[in-house]
Amino acid sequence: MSALIERQPGNRHSIAIETTDAAHYAATRRRLTAAQRRWLSDSGFEAAPGTFALLSDAGGKLVRVLAGVDAHDALGALAALPCSLPDASYHLAAEGVLADTAQAALGWALGAYQFIRYRQPKRAPARLAVSAAELQQLAPLVQATGQVRDLVNTPTEDMGPQQLAHAIKQLGKTHKAKVREWVGDELLKANFPTIHAVGRASHRAPRLVELNWGKASHPKLVVIGKGVCFDTGGLDLKSSDGMRWMKKDMGGAAHAIALAGLIMQAKLPVRLTLLVPAVENAVAGNAMRPGEVITTRAGHTVEIDNTDAEGRLVLCDALAYGAEQQPELIVDFATLTGAARVALGPDLPALFTNDETVAATALAAGHAVNDPLWRLPLWRPYRRMLDSYLADFANAGPSRHAGAITAALYLERFVPDGTPWLHLDTYAWNDSDRPGRPRGGEAMGLRALFAFLQQRYRG
């Protein structure tokens, strides 16, 4: 959180950043000295979004920064500045054009992120001074986003099923929650056959990790995250290009862990269960084979059409177990399908839900916090695409049509009728560097879902 600091009275130790745009630039210039105006003209600054100018006093001391912004994009307005401005403390000037200073500060903090586990940071980010209230509001969101990015960015050798479980145990210690896990063949004894089937070929044992927190009198909330720590595709082996970034296939688990942390830190009045099936989909002599039939925890028989459709397999046992607890709401996150990315691109998580009120509220929450979601339909006639000639249904099918929808329809079979359920098919990754969105792991839908839960349980 070093990128955001609490603003001190008088701002004597921080430099003002004045945000401006083409429509307000003339008024901005009139507030400056003649020397500063000449400098802006000579340097060619025209208040274009993403540009900035450093202004000094008569003695050459930096006293002000002009930042060109898009006033309609508060989150991205300052995101490039922490690693571009001189190392110092700054504050937003009251004369700026941005109405939502909290969103601008959040963008600043997200832009300051660097993943430094394996190398030294390029530089220390500049610091933005904000009010105590803004710092209290933003600090958990920045921390949770950083946690998702760190977990996803960490290579599988250092972020296997055991390490993912360790992250949940540390979360449990922080918030005095109860954590337990089923490891290896314990999964079979406890009736989690699909989690075991996906993960049994790895040298690192599969597991299901459960965290419980909250008062028994509060409504039950189940949060589930897909924790495939690496996905080779199994015997239906991925190509080298398709396998290259599969360390990120536990991005759903990273989101679920971070959301659980936000829920507990905010002390939302819920009885929370976090479930993370953590596996590595590997290739060995005992690997799950195409054509096998597995009886799931829910009692459905599933024909394995494709071993690379493994995420829905680990999730279905977790969904069935979560549903047994008769929750008021089930939420799951998963880096589930490339089809969702083809449909919506890398920035928009696909939202599926069986409840119209949940859909409307979640979409509105995402819009309000600049963390957009896009709803796709649970088009039930497409269930036929998962038909099997010898089992209740298959985990995939011969058609490439509607891949994100058929995956969601597979999961829906494990959610009881009448139980509100929300499924997020998220990319959890930035393919390239952009202000506030560095290349690598990314939280997509995290702030939206937290805002949705805050509204649902606090009103």
Side-chain angles (χ1 to χ4, degrees):
M1 274 307 300
S2 59
L4 295 181
I5 58 175
E6 186 173 343
R7 187 171 180 174
Q8 301 301 317
N11 305 310
R12 292 187 300 273
H13 304 295
S14 61
I15 300 163
I17 298 176
E18 182 176 349
T19 56
T20 188
D21 56 20
H24 298 85
Y25 184 42
T28 300
R29 286 177 60 94
R30 286 194 292 270
R31 287 192 289 271
L32 305 177
T33 68
Q36 290 171 336
R37 290 195 296 270
R38 283 195 302 272
W39 166 247
L40 291 174
S41 297
D42 291 346
S43 63
F45 180 76
E46 295 292 344
T51 63
F52 66 90
L54 306 179
L55 301 178
S56 63
D57 61 14
K61 179 182 178 182
L62 176 61
V63 293
R64 200 169 192 83
V65 176
L66 294 188
V69 300
D70 176 353
H72 301 290
D73 179 21
L75 187 65
L78 307 180
L81 297 184
C83 294
S84 300
L85 293 178
D87 184 9
S89 296
Y90 300 83
H91 68 271
L92 280 173
E95 301 88 351
V97 299
L98 292 177
D100 194 338
T101 58
Q103 279 289 303
L106 176 60
W108 175 288
L110 298 182
Y113 172 86
Q114 298 178 66
F115 184 60
I116 57 173
R117 178 164 179 168
Y118 302 101
R119 65 180 181 185
Q120 293 296 315
K122 296 178 181 178
R123 52 157 287 179
R127 299 161 297 284
L128 184 69
V130 298
S131 70
E134 286 178 331
L135 188 61
Q136 184 178 21
Q137 171 195 351
L138 297 176
L141 297 174
V142 176
Q143 182 181 15
T145 301
Q147 182 179 32
V148 172
R149 291 171 170 179
D150 285 349
L151 289 171
V152 176
N153 282 328
T154 302
T156 304
E157 189 62 26
D158 294 324
M159 189 51 62
Q162 184 176 4
Q163 289 87 353
L164 199 57
H166 178 73
I168 299 170
K169 292 172 184 177
Q170 290 299 110
L171 186 67
K173 288 181 180 179
T174 298
H175 297 284
K176 296 182 171 61
K178 296 181 179 179
V179 179
R180 64 171 174 168
E181 62 181 332
W182 297 266
V183 181
D185 288 345
E186 294 174 1
L187 291 165
L188 295 176
K189 296 176 183 177
N191 192 24
F192 297 108
T194 56
I195 299 173
H196 183 272
V198 172
R200 70 192 183 204
S202 173
H203 66 290
R204 294 187 281 190
R207 63 198 67 214
L208 174 65
V209 190
E210 178 183 22
L211 177 148
N212 287 291
W213 173 89
K215 296 181 180 179
S217 59
H218 288 160
K220 183 71 176 182
L221 169 65
V222 173
V223 177
I224 302 171
K226 172 189 169 184
V228 178
C229 297
F230 195 83
D231 182 19
T232 67
L235 292 178
D236 288 307
L237 198 67
K238 291 179 181 290
S239 66
S240 58
D241 287 345
M243 203 186 302
R244 173 63 179 89
W245 299 108
M246 282 299 100
K247 69 175 185 178
K248 78 176 189 67
D249 212 18
M250 39 61 66
H255 281 74
I257 292 168
L259 181 61
L262 286 170
I263 290 167
M264 292 186 287
Q265 188 168 358
K267 294 182 170 54
L268 290 188
V270 297
R271 185 161 47 101
L272 172 67
T273 291
L274 168 68
L275 297 172
V276 172
V279 304
E280 185 173 0
N281 188 21
V283 177
N286 64 338
M288 174 178 64
R289 295 177 291 271
E292 290 184 3
V293 175
I294 302 173
T295 301
T296 68
R297 181 181 184 88
H300 302 304
T301 57
V302 174
E303 181 184 8
I304 306 305
D305 176 82
N306 193 315
T307 63
D308 197 20
E310 86 299 329
R312 64 200 72 181
L313 293 173
V314 299
L315 286 173
C316 73
D317 272 357
L319 280 167
Y321 177 62
E324 292 166 13
Q325 303 181 37
Q326 299 182 320
E328 193 268 343
L329 175 68
I330 300 175
V331 175
D332 80 71
F333 294 86
T335 51
L336 202 60
T337 66
R341 308 287 68 78
V342 172
L344 300 178
D347 294 350
L348 287 174
L351 169 69
F352 295 89
T353 179
N354 58 2
D355 186 290
E356 294 302 316
T357 301
V358 165
T361 309
L363 291 170
H367 178 75
V369 297
N370 287 304
D371 191 19
L373 311 172
W374 196 270
R375 190 182 185 189
L376 292 181
L378 287 165
W379 186 247
R380 290 180 179 86
Y382 288 168
R383 279 189 173 187
R384 69 180 183 274
M385 296 182 183
L386 299 180
D387 284 349
S388 168
Y389 83 97
L390 79 167
D392 291 332
F393 45 89
N395 74 325
S399 174
R400 299 180 65 183
H401 293 165
I405 296 174
T406 56
L409 288 170
Y410 175 93
L411 296 178
E412 187 194 24
R413 293 178 187 263
F414 298 87
V415 179
D417 291 340
T419 299
W421 164 64
L422 193 154
H423 161 59
L424 224 63
D425 190 335
T426 185
Y427 193 39
W429 190 260
N430 294 318
D431 289 316
S432 60
D433 282 309
R434 288 173 289 168
R437 301 191 64 169
R439 183 183 180 189
E442 184 59 279
M444 297 178 175
L446 175 65
R447 299 195 315 276
L449 267 293
F450 181 53
F452 161 72
L453 294 175
Q454 285 179 304
Q455 181 176 343
R456 184 178 182 92
Y457 294 110
R458 284 222 169 120

